Amino acid sequence: MATTQLVVTEGQVSPDQRRVVNDLSIQVATVNGSGSQSSNLVLLRAIFQMGVPVSGKNLFPSNIAGLPTWFTIRASKYGYVGRRKEIDFLVAMNPETAEEDVASLEPGAACVYDEKLDLRRLRRDVAFYAVPFDKLVAPICPDPRLRKLVRNMIYVGVLAKLLGIEMEEIERALRRQFKRKVKAVDLNFKAVAAGYEFADQNLEKADRFYIERMNATAGKVLIEGNTAAALGCLFAGVTVVTWYPITPSSSLCETLIEYLKRYRTDPQTGQATFAVIQAEDEMAALGMAIGAGWAGARAMTSTSGPGISLMSEFVGLGYYAEIPAVIFDIQRVGPSTGLPTRTAQGDVLSNAFLSHGDTQHPLLFPSSPEECYTMAMEAFDLAEELQTPVLVMSDLDLGMNTWMSDRFAYPSRPLRRGKVLSAEELERRGGFLRYRDVDGDGIGYRTLPGTNHPAAGYFTRGSGHDERAIYSERPDVYVQNVDRLARKFETARKKVPAPVVEEAEGAEIGIIAYGTTHWAVVECLDQLRQEYHLPASYCRLRAYPFADAVWDFVARHQRLYVVEQNRDGQLCSLLKLDRRLADAAKLRSVRHYNGLPVDARSITDAIVAQEGLN
Amino acid sequence: MATTLPPPRKLNRIGLDQAAYKGNKTTLCAGCGHNAISERIIEAFYEMGVEPYRVAKMSGIGCSSKSPAYFLKSSHGFNAVHGRMPSVATGALVANRTLIMIGVSGDGDTASIGIGQFVHLMRRNLPIIYIIEDNGCYGLTKGQFSATADVGSKLKTGVVNELPSIDTCALAIELGATFVARSFSGDKKQLLALLQAAIAHRGTVMLDVISPCVTFNDHDGSTKSYSYVREHEEILEDVSFVPFFEDITVDYDPGTTTDIALHDGSHLLLKKLGVDYDPTSKAEALRVLTESHEKGEVLTGLFYVDTRRPHFIDLLHLVDEPLATLPESRVRPPQSVLDEVMEEHR
């Protein structure tokens, strides 16, 4: 049996040999389709079960099998769950990327690798651990077809030994991962144990990273943003789901379909209180949602950039004809097909004004799974109250990655269905005018098709119309109508979720961010304070149109850094367009757009440079 | 002084007179085939005694798509975007399965920009009456060819169409529509009978109605002009309709007439005109359409009917009430469900 010769000696590994506990990033480099996702999730969950805050990010190709994929697990006693650029512990399983993966490590990092790759020749400042994966897996798994999948469980055992992850927690995590498949649990645990045993007998600890039990995850859950959004839709009482598959949004509708089948089907009759339609394309998907919204259903669709481009026509109709619909945009890197499996916040500016003519749409920016859940419910309420499409701007990082979260709270408010007139109400009022602003908030009353009253009917159209919904090309009628729509958008400003503001004592500068950028900003604020003694206040936007509180925040600070994940500083532009020119001059832009989730260090460096502190 | 009493108002089976089914005054050209179709729609809904509030009128964009404003004024209507009425109609019907849905489209709205949604509407067999007001040209943009224009048909400007036409009826049959017919806006009797049968049918009714454009496509050389259609129309069978609420027994000689029993108990009687024809055979329907096309005829009548195939709403296994108005107690699961899901993610 081959044993690992450690070429590293003390002093070569790292200038700093102090133990680093619960503060490291593990990266597993494999080939997609090799079953490594299960191994990675078992590792992630075992660390989580040991009470250590953890996050997982899957960097995968747009491909089913055979291309490089990287999974990063970050354990942080400080609770930081954003991406960290530096990798401390590499598991190199992919021959194609191994050399580059090793080259990117920081001095003092560790690398577990497949013996055949012979990586230790590459560097002298990294702790290498060679593992004979093929030799270890063969006796455990005689079936060659399964071997490829089980093989990856061996590194779980190796890491458990090297880092001190408890085997009981690995076993528990395995059981959760494979649920009731007892055979799969047994087989995979054998592989984990083989890895552990090998490491125990053959590897000498030569790095400084450790996982130790703590108590920072009690009562928390591990969940993906798309699953959380699906739950939000379920508890929002969605009745019509129309969709077209696209990465990274598909799992939202797929999970929602599972929940709906489970929780919204009458066990006696088999009848459903929901309808799901897989449409022929994204145009039809939103067309169906608009049709359903017009008829009074809570309807949603979910998509990503390319689908959003196709939906723009119907979003314009929804805006002008005033029809509720909820659209989830799980943003990925554009333009065009772009990088389908990488993350971005690149649809903000186009979605704010999606479709031709003067249009404006409410956007919600969830930053966590919990907000995917609450904002899904909020989006349905807003869409029906405002009678307009509402876009929930998630992204690939949030939607498809695994996040630690507090448990979700059951909704405390009843559904808000907006201004819909029943036959009885119509009778009492003696009729209605569809687009008259009776209440001064820009929002008219509507009736649903099928309402049994002679005054209920009206003709919905995307062409010019007057208060009675009758076709009109009159200049004064047009102006009156679109000015009312602008007033309605001001109503939206008051109704959308308010920003979350954290003032720092004596801060001259403020940071403005939204969505998943939040997690890097939280860490960046600490870095600025600890490393540069630079206090910064923070305003996390949760919606467009921007609430007045955003501008109050801007007014209180000298310089504002708008941090976001796109090339053009889209939200910064949107702020500048919004209202106050004098304040807009204070805005500075910090942008990250390489397809990887933004990390704190990049933001800190950019702000420090612009502040002239470096 | 002599007084004349107004004639007694004729009321239908639910006590409404025909005026209750009228719409706004048409803004289409005088003599437009579409106006005749609107009149037949008014008559059909009146004759069938349909409550106007239960009807939803859908359309896309174009001259044809304006016409839902000209019938059933008190019904809800939706003039959607170009070529996309099928998706809006699908969503609306899924949201409220109790609606009686009629969609009016044109040949451009259906066979060009809307062909994708048309195809999938037919495939789903959504219970809708889908009418194509087919004039072979884009009227509202001043007469360009559409994809139903025949090879050799000539525009006013002298431009001749060289591309094969799309036969929307053949396509609909192939794709799964369960009631497929072609008629002519000038044939009052046939069109009315087909429309009444369409109201009685549950499933996709695809009714292509040749409806000449008097302004841009009614000249010599056009195959969609009034005179061309009158000269070349071949009627597949003589259609008559017997509604479920009229106690009429029709006597016919065996072998001369096909009796189609429709979902609501109404009957469509197809009297043979010369040839034997089985409207329940897809192959037969596609054969007669191809043959008549090769002969340069405009074949009208009911080509295909299938009263057994389940429609889209059936396949969704929905509750009986409209999804749109289900109370919160039926659409928001209890706290225990959230607890269960949270526990799974612990």
Side-chain angles (χ1 to χ4, degrees):
Chain A
M1 196 178 197
T3 54
T4 306
Q5 298 160 353
L6 286 172
V7 294
V8 284
T9 57
E10 215 160 312
Q12 286 174 317
V13 173
S14 163
D16 180 3
Q17 279 298 330
R18 278 173 305 172
R19 281 164 62 90
V20 177
V21 178
N22 295 343
D23 186 17
L24 77 156
S25 284
I26 303 165
Q27 182 165 74
V28 180
T30 49
V31 174
N32 76 324
S34 65
S36 60
Q37 183 80 346
S38 301
S39 307
N40 301 332
L41 289 174
V42 165
L43 268 177
L44 177 88
R45 184 167 284 284
I47 297 169
F48 171 77
Q49 287 166 188
M50 284 175 68
V52 183
V54 71
S55 67
K57 296 200 187 298
N58 188 13
L59 188 65
F60 61 105
S62 179
N63 172 266
I64 298 301
L67 288 183
T69 176
W70 296 267
F71 193 94
T72 309
I73 297 168
R74 180 176 187 186
S76 167
K77 62 186 165 199
Y78 309 109
Y80 296 139
V81 294
R83 188 176 76 91
R84 209 167 137 256
K85 266 202 287 196
E86 302 77 21
I87 300 301
D88 304 304
F89 217 105
L90 174 69
V91 180
M93 301 294 284
N94 183 2
E96 253 182 76
T97 63
E99 297 205 356
E100 206 182 319
D101 291 336
V102 169
S104 68
L105 293 173
E106 295 288 305
C111 172
V112 168
Y113 67 99
D114 186 2
E115 187 185 50
K116 288 183 298 189
L117 299 180
D118 188 27
L119 297 178
R120 78 173 78 82
R121 67 193 151 80
L122 295 174
R123 286 178 68 163
R124 298 177 62 79
D125 57 352
V126 168
F128 282 102
Y129 305 101
V131 179
F133 284 93
D134 291 337
K135 282 180 198 158
L136 292 175
V137 78
I140 302 163
C141 186
D143 183 347
R145 282 167 304 173
L146 283 175
R147 211 174 279 163
K148 187 181 82 169
L149 305 175
V150 175
R151 191 174 181 267
N152 279 321
M153 277 294 162
I154 290 173
Y155 67 69
V156 175
V158 173
L159 261 59
K161 173 62 192 157
L162 289 172
L163 291 170
I165 304 166
E166 295 166 15
M167 283 295 270
E168 299 75 45
E169 297 299 356
I170 299 260
E171 193 177 350
R172 258 181 73 203
L174 258 178
R175 289 192 195 291
R176 286 200 79 104
Q177 182 69 26
F178 293 101
K179 301 211 167 76
R180 287 181 200 87
K181 296 176 207 153
V182 182
K183 273 189 186 164
V185 173
D186 289 350
L187 181 61
N188 281 288
F189 191 70
K190 269 189 204 162
V192 174
Y196 187 93
E197 209 172 300
F198 172 81
D200 189 38
Q201 289 170 14
N202 302 285
L203 302 180
E204 192 182 327
K205 178 84 173 169
D207 64 80
R208 61 211 164 108
F209 301 102
Y210 295 89
I211 298 290
E212 285 177 7
R213 187 168 277 281
M214 57 188 284
N215 189 21
T217 65
K220 293 196 187 286
V221 293
L222 285 177
I223 196 164
E224 294 167 4
N226 282 351
T227 304
L231 268 180
C233 294
L234 178 72
F235 287 95
V238 67
T239 47
V240 178
V241 177
T242 60
W243 69 299
Y244 185 79
I246 184 170
T247 304
S249 97
S250 301
S251 64
L252 199 167
C253 283
E254 283 170 333
T255 310
L256 177 54
I257 292 165
E258 275 175 42
Y259 287 143
L260 288 169
K261 281 184 182 161
R262 239 160 94 185
Y263 298 120
R264 294 268 300 277
T265 306
D266 187 311
Q268 260 89 53
T269 63
Q271 288 182 327
T273 58
F274 65 92
V276 177
I277 309 175
Q278 186 181 322
E280 52 269 36
D281 56 37
E282 287 93 342
M283 291 183 280
L286 184 57
M288 289 172 189
I290 292 275
W294 174 73
R298 290 208 139 183
M300 64 79 74
T301 185
S302 175
T303 190
S304 190
I308 284 287
S309 291
L310 288 175
M311 288 178 182
S312 70
E313 180 187 43
F314 264 120
V315 170
L317 175 72
Y319 173 79
Y320 196 36
E322 301 181 60
I323 299 165
V326 173
I327 303 161
F328 288 86
D329 180 3
I330 316 302
Q331 296 167 90
R332 66 188 215 188
V333 175
S336 190
T337 306
L339 310 179
T341 59
R342 301 295 149 86
T343 196
Q345 298 179 312
D347 299 347
V348 174
L349 198 53
S350 56
N351 281 5
F353 307 111
L354 199 61
S355 200
H356 56 275
D358 288 322
T359 58
Q360 299 183 92
H361 316 290
L363 313 176
L364 305 185
F365 302 118
S367 69
S368 62
E370 200 173 359
E371 280 188 338
C372 287
Y373 167 74
T374 55
M375 283 188 182
M377 292 187 276
E378 190 70 35
F380 282 98
D381 285 352
L382 285 170
E384 290 194 323
E385 285 186 306
L386 297 166
Q387 301 175 9
T388 200
V390 172
L391 293 116
V392 185
M393 308 289 289
S394 178
D395 62 29
L396 181 142
D397 183 21
L398 180 54
M400 290 188 73
N401 282 326
T402 305
W403 297 77
M404 201 176 69
S405 170
D406 286 330
R407 287 180 177 234
F408 303 164
Y410 191 73
S412 55
R413 278 197 312 201
L415 308 179
R416 308 199 302 275
R417 305 295 311 260
K419 301 179 186 178
V420 178
L421 298 175
S422 64
E424 297 71 35
E425 189 69 9
L426 271 174
E427 187 63 26
R428 204 178 58 74
R429 289 170 180 243
F432 84 117
L433 299 178
R434 171 67 182 96
Y435 297 113
R436 171 164 286 185
D437 185 5
V438 181
D439 303 326
D441 55 5
I443 307 165
Y445 285 79
R446 64 182 184 132
T447 57
L448 306 181
T451 304
N452 185 3
H453 192 280
Y458 69 97
F459 205 94
T460 301
R461 58 180 94 237
S463 47
H465 45 268
D466 63 14
E467 286 185 339
R468 298 167 297 161
I470 288 172
Y471 184 80
S472 171
E473 296 174 357
R474 284 179 56 134
D476 55 331
V477 167
Y478 176 80
V479 170
Q480 200 177 38
N481 195 25
V482 294
D483 284 354
R484 178 181 56 77
L485 287 168
R487 268 204 314 283
K488 185 162 93 168
F489 209 62
E490 289 308 306
T491 301
R493 196 186 290 280
K494 295 185 199 91
K495 282 181 175 282
V496 295
V500 177
V501 174
E502 283 172 40
E503 293 287 345
E505 181 110 17
E508 281 188 14
I509 67 166
I511 294 179
I512 295 174
Y514 57 99
T516 48
T517 307
H518 168 66
W519 302 102
V521 168
V522 168
E523 198 174 344
C524 158
L525 290 170
D526 289 349
Q527 290 174 349
L528 289 174
R529 198 176 48 248
Q530 288 160 11
E531 300 169 18
Y532 298 92
H533 308 290
L534 181 67
S537 298
Y538 178 30
C539 174
R540 181 166 69 84
L541 301 180
R542 298 203 300 155
Y544 174 77
F546 306 120
D548 289 338
V550 176
W551 292 106
D552 296 342
F553 179 83
V554 171
R556 286 195 300 271
H557 297 88
Q558 315 292 311
R559 297 176 299 287
L560 284 301
Y561 291 94
V562 183
V563 188
E564 53 192 314
Q565 300 179 62
N566 55 64
R567 185 193 65 184
D568 293 343
Q570 296 189 12
L571 189 119
C572 190
S573 298
L574 200 51
L575 280 164
K576 287 176 180 172
L577 285 170
D578 195 47
R579 285 192 296 181
R580 306 178 196 179
L581 275 179
D583 286 334
K586 297 182 187 174
L587 301 178
R588 300 176 175 193
S589 183
V590 174
R591 304 177 291 263
H592 176 95
Y593 50 91
N594 63 2
L596 305 177
V598 64
D599 61 282
R601 184 57 60 192
S602 299
I603 304 172
T604 301
D605 290 350
I607 291 175
V608 164
Q610 292 198 48
E611 286 287 306
L613 293 174
N614 54 350
Chain B
M1 204 170 90
T3 53
T4 42
L5 288 168
R9 287 196 312 165
K10 210 180 144 219
L11 305 178
N12 66 6
R13 70 183 179 96
I14 59 163
L16 295 176
D17 72 0
Q18 198 163 307
Y21 293 85
K22 292 205 158 130
N24 292 328
K25 193 174 168 298
T26 178
T27 59
L28 298 171
C29 307
C32 175
H34 302 359
N35 289 332
I37 300 170
S38 294
E39 283 167 25
R40 298 295 88 70
I41 291 171
I42 291 166
E43 285 169 18
F45 278 93
Y46 163 74
E47 292 288 346
M48 291 296 283
V50 176
E51 299 268 18
Y53 81 87
R54 293 184 57 208
V55 179
K57 309 173 292 179
M58 316 303 284
S59 66
I61 292 292
C63 293
S64 60
S65 296
K66 290 179 169 213
S67 65
Y70 314 140
F71 58 83
L72 274 71
K73 193 178 177 179
S74 64
S75 303
H76 275 75
F78 197 138
N79 193 185
V81 283
H82 202 9
R84 323 261 182 259
M85 173 259 279
S87 64
V88 178
T90 304
L93 198 58
V94 161
N96 185 348
R97 60 178 299 172
T98 67
L99 294 173
I100 294 162
M101 194 158 274
I102 178 167
V104 180
S105 181
D107 37 301
D109 196 60
T110 290
S112 290
I113 193 169
I115 195 80
Q117 296 211 348
F118 173 75
V119 161
H120 289 274
L121 180 76
M122 298 299 120
R123 224 184 128 219
R124 291 189 180 102
N125 193 30
L126 187 81
I128 183 175
I129 304 164
Y130 188 93
I131 297 171
I132 305 173
E133 299 186 339
D134 187 353
N135 56 21
C137 73
Y138 288 84
L140 208 51
T141 52
K142 305 203 170 181
Q144 300 83 356
F145 276 127
S146 80
T148 64
D150 295 299
V151 171
S153 191
K154 200 190 283 181
L155 285 184
K156 266 183 164 176
T157 55
V159 176
V160 174
N161 176 45
E162 292 171 337
L163 294 175
S165 63
I166 292 174
D167 187 333
T168 52
C169 287
L171 199 54
I173 292 164
E174 185 94 339
L175 292 164
T178 47
F179 186 110
V180 181
R182 178 166 284 135
S183 189
F184 171 43
S185 64
D187 189 340
K188 287 187 184 182
K189 179 181 170 289
Q190 184 196 49
L191 182 53
L192 179 60
L194 288 171
L195 282 167
Q196 286 179 283
I199 295 168
H201 181 77
R202 287 292 284 171
T204 298
V205 174
M206 212 301 283
L207 186 51
D208 181 47
V209 188
I210 309 297
S211 175
C213 174
V214 287
T215 305
F216 296 109
N217 209 7
D218 197 29
H219 48 270
D220 286 346
S222 161
T223 62
K224 293 280 196 287
S225 67
Y226 278 110
S227 59
Y228 185 93
V229 178
R230 288 214 170 94
E231 282 160 26
H232 295 79
E233 185 180 8
E234 279 298 319
I235 299 173
L236 187 60
E237 72 279 89
D238 182 61
V239 292
S240 54
F241 178 78
V242 182
F244 68 92
F245 48 84
E246 278 178 15
D247 192 18
I248 298 174
T249 328
V250 183
D251 291 321
Y252 46 79
D253 295 330
T256 61
T257 300
T258 308
D259 183 342
I260 313 274
L262 298 162
H263 293 93
D264 69 348
S266 301
H267 289 259
L268 189 64
L269 303 177
L270 309 175
K271 193 177 164 201
K272 198 197 301 183
L273 292 176
V275 289
D276 277 328
Y277 183 72
D278 174 11
T280 64
S281 161
K282 275 192 180 188
E284 184 84 339
L286 295 172
R287 183 183 62 77
V288 296
L289 281 166
T290 310
E291 284 177 6
S292 73
H293 194 70
E294 282 165 357
K295 284 187 263 180
E297 295 168 356
V298 180
L299 188 67
T300 64
L302 178 75
F303 302 136
Y304 181 69
V305 64
D306 176 357
T307 53
R308 287 161 309 169
R309 186 185 159 203
H311 57 70
F312 190 60
I313 302 297
D314 281 342
L315 296 177
L316 292 171
H317 304 292
L318 303 180
V319 291
D320 300 332
E321 310 91 316
L323 292 179
T325 47
L326 289 175
E328 180 169 335
S329 58
R330 295 188 64 189
V331 295
R332 172 175 276 173
Q335 167 101 45
S336 58
V337 167
L338 182 65
D339 294 344
E340 185 178 313
V341 176
M342 285 293 102
E343 196 56 26
E344 284 171 4
H345 286 87
R346 191 173 50 84

